[in-house]
Protein backbone atom coordinates (compact mmCIF):
# COMPACT_ATOMS: atom_id res chain seq x y z
CA UNK A 1 0.00 0.00 0.00
CA UNK A 2 1.27 3.48 -0.87
CA UNK A 3 2.11 6.05 1.77
CA UNK A 4 -0.64 8.38 0.61
CA UNK A 5 -3.20 5.58 0.79
CA UNK A 6 -2.06 4.65 4.28
CA UNK A 7 -2.30 8.28 5.35
CA UNK A 8 -5.82 8.48 3.96
CA UNK A 9 -6.81 5.23 5.67
CA UNK A 10 -5.44 6.54 8.97
CA UNK A 11 -7.46 9.78 8.62
CA UNK A 12 -10.60 7.69 8.12
CA UNK A 13 -9.91 5.13 10.83
CA UNK A 14 -9.03 7.61 13.54
CA UNK A 15 -12.50 9.16 13.32
CA UNK A 16 -14.08 5.82 14.21
CA UNK A 17 -12.25 5.30 17.49
CA UNK A 18 -14.71 4.89 20.39
CA UNK A 19 -12.85 2.85 22.95
CA UNK A 20 -9.42 1.77 24.17
CA UNK A 21 -9.94 -1.52 22.34
CA UNK A 22 -10.54 0.31 19.04
CA UNK A 23 -7.41 2.31 19.70
CA UNK A 24 -5.31 -0.82 20.28
CA UNK A 25 -6.56 -2.29 16.99
CA UNK A 26 -5.62 0.90 15.23
CA UNK A 27 -2.16 0.78 16.79
CA UNK A 28 -1.62 -2.79 15.58
CA UNK A 29 -2.88 -1.98 12.08
CA UNK A 30 -0.45 0.87 11.63
CA UNK A 31 2.42 0.44 14.08
CA UNK A 32 2.38 -3.32 14.81
CA UNK A 33 5.31 -5.52 13.68
CA UNK A 34 3.41 -6.41 10.58
CA UNK A 35 1.57 -3.13 10.52
CA UNK A 36 1.21 -0.89 7.47
CA UNK A 37 3.91 1.59 8.53
CA UNK A 38 6.40 -1.19 9.34
CA UNK A 39 5.73 -2.52 5.83
CA UNK A 40 6.67 0.88 4.38
CA UNK A 41 9.99 0.88 6.23
CA UNK A 42 10.71 -2.55 4.76
CA UNK A 43 10.15 -1.14 1.26
CA UNK A 44 12.66 1.63 1.88
CA UNK A 45 15.54 -0.45 0.55
CA UNK A 46 13.84 -0.83 -2.85
CA UNK A 47 13.59 2.87 -3.36
CA UNK A 48 15.82 5.00 -5.50
CA UNK A 49 18.65 6.16 -3.16
CA UNK A 50 18.15 9.76 -4.25
CA UNK A 51 14.59 9.71 -2.97
CA UNK A 52 15.15 7.38 -0.06
CA UNK A 53 15.97 10.03 2.55
CA UNK A 54 12.94 12.12 1.76
CA UNK A 55 10.69 9.06 1.67
CA UNK A 56 12.13 7.90 5.01
CA UNK A 57 11.36 11.27 6.54
CA UNK A 58 7.79 11.10 5.23
CA UNK A 59 7.25 7.68 6.81
CA UNK A 60 8.73 8.89 10.07
CA UNK A 61 6.43 11.88 10.10
CA UNK A 62 3.45 9.66 9.49
CA UNK A 63 4.57 7.31 12.27
CA UNK A 64 4.95 10.22 14.67
CA UNK A 65 1.56 11.50 13.69
CA UNK A 66 0.02 8.11 14.42
CA UNK A 67 1.91 7.77 17.70
CA UNK A 68 0.87 11.24 18.85
CA UNK A 69 -2.71 10.58 17.98
CA UNK A 70 -2.68 7.30 19.88
CA UNK A 71 -1.15 8.91 22.98
CA UNK A 72 -3.61 11.80 23.02
CA UNK A 73 -6.60 9.64 22.28
CA UNK A 74 -5.64 7.16 25.00
CA UNK A 75 -5.48 9.90 27.60
CA UNK A 76 -8.77 11.28 26.43
CA UNK A 77 -10.49 7.88 26.57
CA UNK A 78 -9.03 7.07 29.99
CA UNK A 79 -10.22 10.40 31.31
CA UNK A 80 -13.70 9.71 29.94
CA UNK A 81 -13.78 6.33 31.62
CA UNK A 82 -12.77 7.81 34.93
CA UNK A 83 -15.43 10.49 34.74
CA UNK A 84 -18.09 7.94 33.93
CA UNK A 85 -17.03 5.85 36.86
CA UNK A 86 -17.09 8.81 39.21
CA UNK A 87 -20.52 9.76 37.96
CA UNK A 88 -22.03 6.28 38.32
CA UNK A 89 -20.50 5.63 41.73
CA UNK A 90 -21.36 9.02 43.08
CA UNK A 91 -22.91 9.13 46.56
CA UNK A 92 -25.25 12.04 47.15
CA UNK A 93 -24.52 12.85 50.76
CA UNK A 94 -27.29 15.46 50.83
CA UNK A 95 -30.01 12.78 50.52
CA UNK A 96 -31.64 11.72 53.80
CA UNK A 97 -30.53 8.25 54.91
CA UNK A 98 -32.91 5.43 54.08
CA UNK A 99 -32.07 3.39 57.15
CA UNK A 100 -34.39 5.26 59.55
CA UNK A 101 -36.58 2.42 60.91
CA UNK A 102 -40.34 2.94 60.58
CA UNK A 103 -41.73 4.31 63.84
CA UNK A 104 -44.40 2.36 65.70
CA UNK A 105 -47.41 4.09 67.17
CA UNK A 106 -49.61 3.86 70.21
CA UNK A 107 -52.07 0.96 70.24
CA UNK A 108 -55.67 2.29 70.24
CA UNK A 109 -56.32 0.41 73.50
CA UNK A 110 -53.31 2.04 75.17
CA UNK A 111 -54.40 5.44 73.85
CA UNK A 112 -57.91 4.88 75.22
CA UNK A 113 -56.63 3.80 78.66
CA UNK A 114 -54.35 6.83 78.81
CA UNK A 115 -57.23 9.10 77.93
CA UNK A 116 -59.56 7.55 80.55
CA UNK A 117 -56.86 7.71 83.21
CA UNK A 118 -56.10 11.33 82.34
CA UNK A 119 -59.75 12.38 82.73
CA UNK A 120 -60.08 10.71 86.14
CA UNK A 121 -56.76 12.15 87.30
CA UNK A 122 -58.10 15.61 86.50
CA UNK A 123 -61.05 14.77 88.75
CA UNK A 124 -58.75 13.91 91.65
CA UNK A 125 -58.41 10.12 91.28
CA UNK A 126 -55.10 8.32 91.66
CA UNK A 127 -54.06 5.08 89.92
CA UNK A 128 -53.79 1.66 91.62
CA UNK A 129 -52.86 -1.70 90.10
CA UNK A 130 -53.14 -5.35 91.08
CA UNK A 131 -51.94 -8.73 89.81
CA UNK A 132 -53.56 -10.59 86.90
CA UNK A 133 -53.19 -13.92 88.72
CA UNK A 134 -55.39 -13.06 91.66
CA UNK A 135 -56.59 -14.67 94.86
CA UNK A 136 -60.03 -16.19 94.48
CA UNK A 137 -60.78 -14.55 97.81
CA UNK A 138 -60.20 -11.04 96.40
CA UNK A 139 -61.80 -11.72 93.03
CA UNK A 140 -64.96 -13.19 94.61
CA UNK A 141 -65.30 -13.77 98.38
CA UNK A 142 -64.48 -10.30 99.66
CA UNK A 143 -66.65 -8.82 96.91
CA UNK A 144 -69.70 -10.47 98.47
CA UNK A 145 -69.66 -13.44 96.07
CA UNK A 146 -69.43 -16.49 98.38
CA UNK A 147 -68.43 -19.96 97.12
CA UNK A 148 -71.27 -21.92 95.56
CA UNK A 149 -73.16 -18.65 95.12
CA UNK A 150 -74.84 -18.45 91.69
CA UNK A 151 -73.32 -14.99 91.18
CA UNK A 152 -69.98 -16.69 90.44
CA UNK A 153 -71.51 -17.99 87.24
CA UNK A 154 -71.94 -14.41 85.98
CA UNK A 155 -68.30 -14.58 84.99
CA UNK A 156 -66.78 -17.62 83.33
CA UNK A 157 -63.51 -18.02 85.12
CA UNK A 158 -60.09 -19.35 84.07
CA UNK A 159 -58.67 -21.18 87.07
CA UNK A 160 -54.94 -21.81 87.45
CA UNK A 161 -53.12 -24.81 88.91
CA UNK A 162 -52.33 -23.12 92.19
CA UNK A 163 -55.34 -23.73 94.51
CA UNK A 164 -57.11 -20.54 95.58
CA UNK A 165 -55.86 -18.55 92.56
CA UNK A 166 -57.39 -17.58 89.21
CA UNK A 167 -56.97 -15.16 86.30
CA UNK A 168 -58.90 -12.16 87.57
CA UNK A 169 -62.26 -11.88 85.84
CA UNK A 170 -62.56 -8.16 86.56
CA UNK A 171 -60.55 -5.29 88.01
CA UNK A 172 -62.79 -5.16 91.10
CA UNK A 173 -60.27 -7.09 93.28
CA UNK A 174 -58.09 -3.96 93.12
CA UNK A 175 -60.84 -2.29 95.20
CA UNK A 176 -60.30 -4.96 97.84
CA UNK A 177 -56.52 -4.58 97.78
CA UNK A 178 -56.79 -0.80 98.12
CA UNK A 179 -59.22 -0.93 101.05
CA UNK A 180 -57.15 -3.56 102.86
CA UNK A 181 -54.14 -1.29 102.48
CA UNK A 182 -55.55 2.03 103.59
CA UNK A 183 -58.47 3.74 105.28
CA UNK A 184 -60.66 6.39 103.58
CA UNK A 185 -60.60 8.85 102.01
CA UNK A 186 -60.09 6.65 98.94
CA UNK A 187 -60.47 7.87 95.37
CA UNK A 188 -58.80 5.53 92.91
CA UNK A 189 -59.06 4.01 89.47
CA UNK A 190 -57.47 0.71 88.45
CA UNK A 191 -56.87 -0.01 84.76
CA UNK A 192 -55.76 -3.47 83.67
CA UNK A 193 -56.20 -6.76 81.85
CA UNK A 194 -58.95 -9.20 82.80
CA UNK A 195 -59.76 -12.72 81.58
CA UNK A 196 -62.96 -14.65 80.86
CA UNK A 197 -63.90 -17.78 78.96
CA UNK A 198 -65.62 -15.84 76.21
CA UNK A 199 -64.80 -15.66 72.52
CA UNK A 200 -66.95 -14.01 69.81
CA UNK A 201 -66.95 -10.77 67.73
CA UNK A 202 -67.75 -8.65 70.81
CA UNK A 203 -65.89 -10.74 73.42
CA UNK A 204 -62.22 -11.58 73.68
CA UNK A 205 -60.88 -13.98 76.37
CA UNK A 206 -58.52 -11.20 77.47
CA UNK A 207 -59.69 -7.62 77.58
CA UNK A 208 -59.23 -4.40 79.51
CA UNK A 209 -61.24 -2.77 82.26
CA UNK A 210 -60.94 0.34 84.35
CA UNK A 211 -62.28 0.08 87.89
CA UNK A 212 -63.17 3.06 90.03
CA UNK A 213 -63.68 3.37 93.78
CA UNK A 214 -64.52 6.31 96.01
CA UNK A 215 -64.94 5.80 99.78
CA UNK A 216 -65.42 8.56 102.29
CA UNK A 217 -67.91 9.97 104.76
CA UNK A 218 -71.10 11.22 103.12
CA UNK A 219 -70.54 9.75 99.67
CA UNK A 220 -73.84 9.25 97.87
CA UNK A 221 -75.45 8.02 94.67
CA UNK A 222 -75.80 11.56 93.30
CA UNK A 223 -72.02 12.05 93.62
CA UNK A 224 -71.55 8.88 91.58
CA UNK A 225 -73.96 10.03 88.89
CA UNK A 226 -72.19 13.36 88.60
CA UNK A 227 -68.71 11.81 88.30
CA UNK A 228 -69.80 9.28 85.67
CA UNK A 229 -71.76 11.81 83.60
CA UNK A 230 -68.82 14.18 83.70
CA UNK A 231 -66.42 11.44 82.67
CA UNK A 232 -68.63 10.39 79.71
CA UNK A 233 -69.03 14.00 78.59
CA UNK A 234 -65.27 14.52 78.60
CA UNK A 235 -64.43 11.20 76.96
CA UNK A 236 -66.89 11.51 74.07
CA UNK A 237 -66.28 15.26 73.81
CA UNK A 238 -70.02 15.88 73.46
CA UNK A 239 -73.22 16.15 75.49
CA UNK A 240 -74.06 12.47 75.07
CA UNK A 241 -77.39 11.37 76.56
CA UNK A 242 -76.76 9.22 79.68
CA UNK A 243 -79.22 7.02 81.56
CA UNK A 244 -78.91 4.96 84.75
CA UNK A 245 -80.81 1.66 84.79
CA UNK A 246 -81.39 -0.36 87.96
CA UNK A 247 -79.30 -3.53 87.86
CA UNK A 248 -77.66 -6.11 90.08
CA UNK A 249 -74.05 -6.66 91.12
CA UNK A 250 -73.21 -8.62 94.28
CA UNK A 251 -70.68 -6.00 95.39
CA UNK A 252 -72.95 -2.94 95.14
CA UNK A 253 -76.33 -1.98 96.52
CA UNK A 254 -78.12 -0.29 94.89
CA UNK A 255 -76.55 -1.14 91.52
CA UNK A 256 -76.95 0.46 88.13
CA UNK A 257 -75.95 -0.04 84.58
CA UNK A 258 -75.12 3.12 82.67
CA UNK A 259 -76.11 3.59 79.04
CA UNK A 260 -75.21 6.32 76.58
CA UNK A 261 -77.24 7.34 73.54
CA UNK A 262 -75.85 5.29 70.65
CA UNK A 263 -72.96 7.28 69.15
CA UNK A 264 -73.30 5.40 65.86
CA UNK A 265 -76.96 6.20 65.02
CA UNK A 266 -77.49 9.12 67.44
CA UNK A 267 -80.20 7.13 69.23
CA UNK A 268 -82.29 6.30 66.19
CA UNK A 269 -81.67 2.58 66.49
CA UNK A 270 -79.09 0.57 64.54
CA UNK A 271 -77.26 -2.76 64.42
CA UNK A 272 -74.68 -1.75 67.03
CA UNK A 273 -77.30 -0.74 69.65
CA UNK A 274 -79.58 -3.56 68.51
CA UNK A 275 -82.30 -1.07 67.62
CA UNK A 276 -82.62 0.32 71.19
CA UNK A 277 -80.77 3.62 70.61
CA UNK A 278 -78.77 2.96 73.81
CA UNK A 279 -75.38 1.39 74.52
CA UNK A 280 -74.39 -0.03 77.88
CA UNK A 281 -70.97 1.31 78.86
CA UNK A 282 -70.60 1.03 82.65
CA UNK A 283 -71.56 -0.97 85.70
CA UNK A 284 -71.76 0.98 88.95
CA UNK A 285 -73.32 1.25 92.38
CA UNK A 286 -72.92 2.02 96.08
CA UNK A 287 -70.33 -0.30 97.62
CA UNK A 288 -72.16 -3.07 99.51
CA UNK A 289 -71.69 -2.81 103.34
CA UNK A 290 -70.53 -6.47 103.33
CA UNK A 291 -67.64 -5.48 101.02
CA UNK A 292 -66.58 -2.55 103.21
CA UNK A 293 -66.75 -4.78 106.27
CA UNK A 294 -64.75 -7.60 104.63
CA UNK A 295 -62.02 -5.09 103.76
CA UNK A 296 -61.77 -3.59 107.24
CA UNK A 297 -63.75 -0.41 106.70
CA UNK A 298 -66.59 0.57 109.03
CA UNK A 299 -69.83 0.67 106.99
CA UNK A 300 -71.57 2.72 109.66
CA UNK A 301 -69.03 5.50 109.23
CA UNK A 302 -68.20 5.32 105.54
CA UNK A 303 -69.99 4.89 102.25
CA UNK A 304 -68.57 4.41 98.82
CA UNK A 305 -69.39 4.12 95.18
CA UNK A 306 -67.69 1.97 92.62
CA UNK A 307 -67.81 1.47 88.88
CA UNK A 308 -66.30 -0.70 86.20
CA UNK A 309 -65.98 -0.11 82.48
CA UNK A 310 -64.74 -2.11 79.50
CA UNK A 311 -61.94 -0.23 77.74
CA UNK A 312 -62.47 -2.13 74.48
CA UNK A 313 -66.06 -0.93 74.31
CA UNK A 314 -64.97 2.68 74.75
CA UNK A 315 -62.24 2.31 72.12
CA UNK A 316 -64.67 0.69 69.67
CA UNK A 317 -67.19 3.50 70.11
CA UNK A 318 -64.58 6.25 69.90
CA UNK A 319 -62.87 4.92 66.77
CA UNK A 320 -65.86 3.27 65.07
CA UNK A 321 -64.53 -0.31 65.22
CA UNK A 322 -67.08 -3.14 65.07
CA UNK A 323 -64.93 -6.16 65.96
CA UNK A 324 -63.01 -6.44 69.23
CA UNK A 325 -60.63 -9.01 67.68
CA UNK A 326 -59.00 -6.29 65.58
CA UNK A 327 -57.40 -4.94 68.77
CA UNK A 328 -55.65 -8.22 69.53
CA UNK A 329 -54.62 -9.50 66.09
CA UNK A 330 -52.13 -6.64 65.77
CA UNK A 331 -52.36 -6.47 61.99
CA UNK A 332 -50.08 -3.57 61.06
CA UNK A 333 -52.55 -2.38 58.40
CA UNK A 334 -55.11 -1.87 61.18
CA UNK A 335 -52.69 -0.34 63.69
CA UNK A 336 -51.25 2.10 61.13
CA UNK A 337 -54.57 3.93 61.02
CA UNK A 338 -53.94 5.12 64.57
CA UNK A 339 -50.46 6.52 63.98
CA UNK A 340 -51.58 10.02 64.95
CA UNK A 341 -52.57 8.95 68.50
N1 LIG B 1 -66.85 -5.92 87.91
C1 LIG B 1 -67.97 -5.75 87.04
C2 LIG B 1 -67.76 -6.57 85.77
O1 LIG B 1 -66.70 -6.93 85.49
C3 LIG B 1 -68.11 -4.31 86.64
C4 LIG B 1 -68.52 -3.49 87.78
C5 LIG B 1 -69.84 -3.26 88.05
C6 LIG B 1 -67.55 -2.95 88.63
C7 LIG B 1 -70.25 -2.51 89.11
C8 LIG B 1 -67.95 -2.19 89.71
C9 LIG B 1 -69.31 -1.97 89.94
O2 LIG B 1 -67.07 -1.65 90.54
O3 LIG B 1 -69.69 -1.21 91.01
O4 LIG B 1 -68.71 -6.81 85.07
Amino acid sequence: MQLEEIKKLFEEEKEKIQSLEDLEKLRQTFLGKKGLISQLFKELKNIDPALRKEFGQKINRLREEVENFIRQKREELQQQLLEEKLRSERVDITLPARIVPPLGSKHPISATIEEIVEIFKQMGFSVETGPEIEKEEYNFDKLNIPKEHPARDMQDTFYVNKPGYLLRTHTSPVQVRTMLKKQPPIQIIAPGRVYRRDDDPTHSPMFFQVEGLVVNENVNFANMMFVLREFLRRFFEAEVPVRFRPSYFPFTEPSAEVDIGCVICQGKGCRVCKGTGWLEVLGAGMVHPNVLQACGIDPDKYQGFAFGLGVDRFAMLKYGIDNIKLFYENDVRFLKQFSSL
Side-chain angles (χ1 to χ4, degrees):
M1 214 190 256
Q2 296 300 306
L3 185 112
E4 290 308 317
E5 282 176 300
I6 294 175
K7 216 173 173 167
K8 204 168 153 238
L9 183 66
F10 171 65
E11 294 301 330
E12 283 168 21
E13 289 300 308
K14 76 178 201 190
E15 298 303 322
K16 298 182 192 160
I17 303 298
Q18 302 275 6
S19 64
L20 287 169
E21 290 84 57
D22 293 348
L23 194 64
E24 175 57 19
K25 270 186 209 140
L26 181 95
R27 192 191 65 78
Q28 275 170 17
T29 310
F30 291 90
L31 302 178
K33 257 195 198 145
K34 291 177 184 160
L36 295 169
I37 291 175
S38 313
Q39 302 289 342
L40 284 182
F41 277 117
K42 278 179 197 152
E43 272 169 40
L44 212 50
K45 59 182 186 296
N46 307 326
I47 286 197
D48 178 352
L51 298 172
R52 200 177 287 162
K53 188 177 171 199
E54 199 196 329
F55 188 63
Q57 282 173 345
K58 275 190 181 166
I59 308 174
N60 268 329
R61 240 178 276 131
L62 177 60
R63 194 190 60 194
E64 270 167 38
E65 198 184 319
V66 175
E67 281 174 352
N68 285 343
F69 170 78
I70 289 177
R71 202 177 314 115
Q72 274 177 18
K73 194 72 186 174
R74 180 176 292 136
E75 268 174 33
E76 199 181 295
L77 286 170
Q78 278 172 343
Q79 186 64 28
Q80 258 176 33
L81 270 184
L82 182 67
E83 275 168 21
E84 244 163 63
K85 200 167 174 200
L86 285 176
R87 208 174 312 123
S88 67
E89 291 177 7
R90 192 175 115 144
V91 175
D92 185 349
I93 56 164
T94 66
L95 280 176
R98 273 185 232 141
I99 47 176
V100 177
L103 275 185
S105 55
K106 230 173 251 175
H107 193 285
I109 292 288
S110 304
T112 305
I113 292 176
E114 280 177 25
E115 203 170 332
I116 293 171
V117 167
E118 189 51 41
I119 294 171
F120 279 111
K121 272 189 178 170
Q122 285 171 7
M123 293 199 275
F125 286 71
S126 56
V127 176
E128 287 286 337
T129 55
E132 290 169 32
I133 298 174
E134 182 56 283
K135 285 183 177 168
E136 204 174 334
E137 185 195 353
Y138 293 179
N139 194 86
F140 290 132
D141 302 66
K142 284 196 184 307
L143 288 168
N144 199 32
I145 317 174
K147 289 191 181 59
E148 318 303 338
H149 192 281
R152 287 214 180 184
D153 299 339
M154 285 171 76
Q155 300 174 3
D156 271 322
T157 309
F158 284 114
Y159 287 91
V160 296
N161 286 339
K162 202 169 165 186
Y165 285 81
L166 42 70
L167 292 182
R168 67 178 178 191
T169 58
H170 50 184
T171 41
S172 303
V174 185
Q175 288 188 30
V176 175
R177 288 176 172 273
T178 307
M179 288 188 279
L180 287 174
K181 211 165 55 182
K182 66 179 283 231
Q183 286 292 307
I186 290 171
Q187 191 169 349
I188 59 112
I189 50 163
R193 289 171 203 269
V194 300
Y195 301 83
R196 286 185 204 176
R197 298 180 49 180
D198 249 344
D199 206 358
D200 64 46
T202 50
H203 295 94
S204 154
M206 186 281 290
F207 58 103
F208 288 84
Q209 286 189 334
V210 175
E211 189 79 14
L213 175 70
V214 175
V215 187
N216 208 344
E217 290 173 47
N218 305 319
V219 172
N220 60 41
F221 202 88
N223 300 150
M224 180 189 83
M225 289 176 76
F226 171 79
V227 166
L228 294 181
R229 276 182 196 281
E230 185 60 18
F231 160 69
L232 292 169
R233 196 176 65 81
R234 293 196 199 179
F235 182 85
F236 289 106
E237 295 163 300
E239 296 295 337
V240 280
V242 179
R243 75 176 182 188
F244 289 75
R245 257 184 308 109
S247 185
Y248 170 76
F249 296 103
F251 28 87
T252 45
E253 183 58 36
S255 303
E257 276 175 322
V258 186
D259 298 339
I260 57 168
C262 181
V263 290
I264 310 288
C265 64
Q266 261 67 45
K268 287 185 201 73
C270 68
R271 198 171 57 88
V272 177
C273 61
K274 301 197 175 85
T276 63
W278 294 95
L279 295 165
E280 184 203 320
V281 291
L282 278 152
M286 299 307 293
V287 181
H288 198 293
N290 289 354
V291 175
L292 293 173
Q293 192 113 49
C295 297
I297 288 176
D298 182 359
D300 291 329
K301 190 170 175 204
Y302 296 108
Q303 306 83 47
F305 69 80
F307 54 90
L309 63 86
V311 175
D312 308 78
R313 190 92 213 246
F314 278 79
M316 287 167 87
L317 293 174
K318 184 137 194 169
Y319 302 116
I321 294 153
D322 61 2
N323 189 338
I324 192 173
K325 296 288 156 55
L326 289 166
F327 290 135
Y328 302 111
E329 283 166 352
N330 286 329
D331 185 324
V332 186
R333 291 168 300 180
F334 171 74
L335 296 177
K336 262 192 183 158
Q337 300 172 61
F338 303 96
S339 53
S340 64
L341 294 182

